[in-house]
Amino acid sequence: MNILAARIRERLNLLPPGWRPHPPDGMSSRLLALTAVFTVAVELLIVMPSAASFHERWLRDRLQAAELASVGVEALPYSAVEDETAAELMRIGGVQAVVVGEQGVRRLLLQAPNLPRAPDLIDLRRDTPGARALDPWRTLFGHPDRSIRVQARPRYRSGDFIEILTPAEPLKVELRAFLLNSLLASLLIAIVAGGLLYAGLSYLVLQPLRRVTRSIERFAADPESPAETPSDRHDEIGRVERELAVMQDEVRHALRSRARLAALGEAVAKINHDLRNMLTSAQMASERLAGSADPTVAKALPRLERALGRAAALSRNVLEYGRSEEPAPQAAKVALAGALTLAAEDAGLDASGVRLEKRLPARFAIQADPDQLHRILVNLMRNARQAIETDALRPPARQGRGVVHVTAETDGALAVIRIADDGPGIPPRLAERLFEPFVSGRTSDGTGLGLTISRELAAGHGGDLRLAASGPDGAVFELRLPL
């Protein structure tokens, strides 16, 4: 059985794509089912009114024949009709009895024998579309001995109405034949129309959608595979094909750029590793030079140490930013006052230079990863300290001295922490790009990655980091984290 199934699949794979069968849950099968439903609906819309029209026309023909017969009967002296003549008239007219009503008086012109069942009344003088639609089916599925009393306004004689009594069986036979012919004719028309509709929709909609689907599947399996040439259609499907081709080209370029960046990142990581080893050796050599009595060495040594420190910081920040993804934060309850004190120490804040001032609510705590929160706070405080220390416009008495203010409050389910300094502020040309990688507000130091990494860490907590204000009186950063 498995071998047979495999051979069938092989045979199907040899067929052109447009001739391959599609799964029953595909759009083609749904479109076919929808076409069949519409075909049946059209059949009902055609057959039901036609049946009602045929039923009424048949009864009116009997009424017309009976009315003409009644005129002939009344032409005889005393309206006397022999039994054989009456039977022949009723047989010709297809009726069992004829009654004429005039001025409230009913006159029986042609009498029928007694009937085994009470006849059903159909009054054609009343316009009742619902009843007209149901009458053919009552006749079609009624009892074989059913008779029908039909009343209508006379056309060829005077009177209020003319009424006939006719058996339903002849009408049932003719109605059945009419319905069969109508069904066959309308079914043929509906099948042809439905087939043409399905073929048109398949050509205009399904085949282009299959082409788009194949293009997407082939691109998902192999993004470097050649793209199909979009059709020159100007409708929505043509626009989809063209936009898909453009999008696939953009994704291909992005994937190629990503691959090149990944290779470049690996190379940078290797270079960075070797560079750190070199910097470590250089720092060890500078420590040995610190004991030298040569004044030239003593004068150049601080600049050498600062250069080595900046190079080491650059190497460290590049590696941190180059991580593919920061680890998910391990949230815990953190007392903000203690976290600020530890971060201030690591950021180089002290009472003799740039000091920390904090105004926090009592026992203020947040939910955050302690290590990642520490990195965010250290980055913000270090930036504030360096901005104050490098401010050349400060009065001589305040050179290298300043204050970093930290306040906190709640905003719904978030804690809003504001870190403000009294430095020179952020230049307007840098404020809009401050959180982009490698954009730094300092010309002599900094890698431009601290704020970028800090914002990513805040976003990982479900919070945010933004520049709230900046001016000659300093900058204010706003950190939002869950309580």
Side-chain angles (χ1 to χ4, degrees):
M1 196 68 183
N2 294 333
I3 297 175
L4 179 59
R7 290 181 177 177
I8 292 175
R9 284 195 296 270
E10 291 177 359
R11 296 280 184 176
L12 291 176
N13 290 332
L14 296 176
L15 293 174
W19 292 87
R20 295 176 189 172
H22 296 276
D25 58 345
M27 185 175 290
S28 58
S29 58
R30 296 179 184 178
L31 181 59
L32 184 61
L34 191 63
T35 304
V37 171
F38 286 164
T39 301
V40 173
V42 170
E43 282 286 316
L44 294 177
L45 292 176
I46 293 175
V47 169
M48 292 186 67
S50 299
S53 177
F54 177 84
H55 190 271
E56 182 176 350
R57 187 168 60 251
W58 191 93
L59 294 178
R60 288 192 181 278
D61 289 343
R62 297 301 176 275
L63 279 167
Q64 182 178 354
E67 187 176 352
L68 294 175
S70 69
V71 173
V73 170
E74 288 185 338
L76 296 175
Y78 306 105
S79 299
V81 180
E82 297 181 357
D83 292 341
E84 292 182 0
T85 304
E88 183 65 18
L89 288 174
M90 286 188 292
R91 185 187 66 78
I92 295 173
V95 298
Q96 295 173 322
V98 179
V99 177
V100 176
E102 187 172 2
Q103 296 180 356
V105 178
R106 293 169 55 91
R107 291 188 295 123
L108 183 63
L109 300 182
L110 296 175
Q111 170 123 21
N114 293 329
L115 301 174
R117 295 174 58 88
D120 296 332
L121 174 63
I122 296 178
D123 193 348
L124 297 181
R125 295 173 297 175
R126 299 175 182 175
D127 187 13
T128 53
R132 296 288 184 274
L134 292 177
D135 286 341
W137 310 106
R138 293 170 58 191
T139 300
L140 193 62
F141 300 104
H143 195 274
D145 295 333
R146 179 174 179 262
S147 298
I148 305 174
R149 286 175 54 205
V150 186
Q151 292 181 352
R153 292 183 178 85
R155 297 178 59 186
Y156 305 107
R157 55 166 301 140
S158 61
D160 298 329
F161 67 88
I162 182 169
E163 177 183 314
I164 63 171
L165 182 65
T166 180
E169 191 61 25
L171 175 57
K172 181 190 295 187
V173 174
E174 294 189 27
L175 181 61
R176 187 182 295 118
F178 171 79
L179 285 176
L180 181 60
N181 294 332
S182 297
L183 280 173
L184 292 176
S186 59
L187 183 62
L188 178 61
I189 295 173
I191 288 176
V192 172
L196 293 175
L197 175 63
Y198 177 79
L201 290 176
S202 177
Y203 175 75
L204 294 175
V205 179
L206 290 182
Q207 289 186 7
L209 286 181
R210 288 170 187 163
R211 186 166 58 249
V212 172
T213 303
R214 287 196 304 270
S215 177
I216 295 174
E217 292 174 347
R218 183 167 53 253
F219 180 80
D222 182 14
E224 295 298 330
S225 61
E228 290 189 4
T229 303
S231 64
D232 55 354
R233 297 174 54 160
H234 299 287
D235 56 4
E236 287 77 3
I237 293 180
R239 291 167 55 190
V240 167
E241 290 180 334
R242 289 188 290 274
E243 291 297 328
L244 177 62
V246 172
M247 183 188 67
Q248 288 179 346
D249 288 338
E250 292 177 352
V251 172
R252 286 190 186 94
H253 291 310
L255 291 175
R256 291 166 186 163
S257 299
R258 182 177 178 181
R260 288 194 295 269
L261 289 176
L264 179 61
E266 292 180 359
V268 169
K270 295 177 182 178
I271 295 172
N272 205 28
H273 180 269
D274 295 338
L275 180 60
R276 292 185 66 184
N277 291 336
M278 298 175 188
L279 291 174
T280 302
S281 301
Q283 286 177 332
M284 292 174 62
S286 68
E287 291 175 358
R288 287 195 292 269
L289 289 174
S292 174
D294 188 342
T296 305
V297 174
K299 183 179 180 180
L301 189 59
R303 288 191 297 171
L304 175 61
E305 289 178 346
R306 287 195 299 271
L308 291 175
R310 288 196 300 268
L314 174 60
S315 176
R316 181 177 63 254
N317 288 336
V318 168
L319 282 179
E320 287 180 354
Y321 183 74
R323 293 175 183 171
S324 59
E325 185 177 357
E326 288 286 347
Q330 304 297 321
K333 188 176 181 180
V334 179
L336 184 57
L340 288 171
T341 301
L342 294 176
E345 293 177 359
D346 289 349
L349 274 62
D350 59 64
S352 62
V354 180
R355 70 182 187 276
L356 172 66
E357 288 186 0
K358 49 189 176 183
R359 293 194 302 272
L360 308 176
R363 295 184 296 277
F364 194 84
I366 58 176
Q367 290 288 333
D369 186 300
D371 293 335
Q372 295 186 5
L373 176 63
H374 182 77
R375 292 170 59 188
I376 296 173
L377 296 176
V378 168
N379 279 329
L380 294 174
M381 292 183 184
R382 183 187 295 120
N383 288 347
R385 176 183 62 81
Q386 293 173 347
I388 293 172
E389 291 176 346
T390 58
D391 184 9
L393 299 179
R394 298 176 78 84
R398 297 188 58 200
Q399 285 289 336
R401 304 185 66 181
V403 181
V404 176
H405 300 274
V406 180
T407 60
E409 63 182 8
T410 59
D411 183 10
L414 295 176
V416 181
I417 306 168
R418 294 184 177 88
I419 297 95
D421 61 66
D422 58 355
I426 307 297
R429 61 184 178 83
L430 293 177
E432 297 180 356
R433 304 175 56 240
L434 193 59
F435 292 94
E436 295 180 9
F438 305 106
V439 174
S440 175
R442 298 185 299 276
T443 57
S444 61
D445 194 6
T447 61
L449 294 174
L451 290 177
T452 304
I453 295 172
S454 298
R455 171 174 271 187
E456 290 181 356
L457 294 177
H461 284 78
D464 188 24
L465 174 64
R466 68 184 186 92
L467 177 64
S470 179
D473 297 331
V476 181
F477 286 87
E478 188 176 274
L479 173 64
R480 290 176 172 264
L481 293 175
L483 284 172

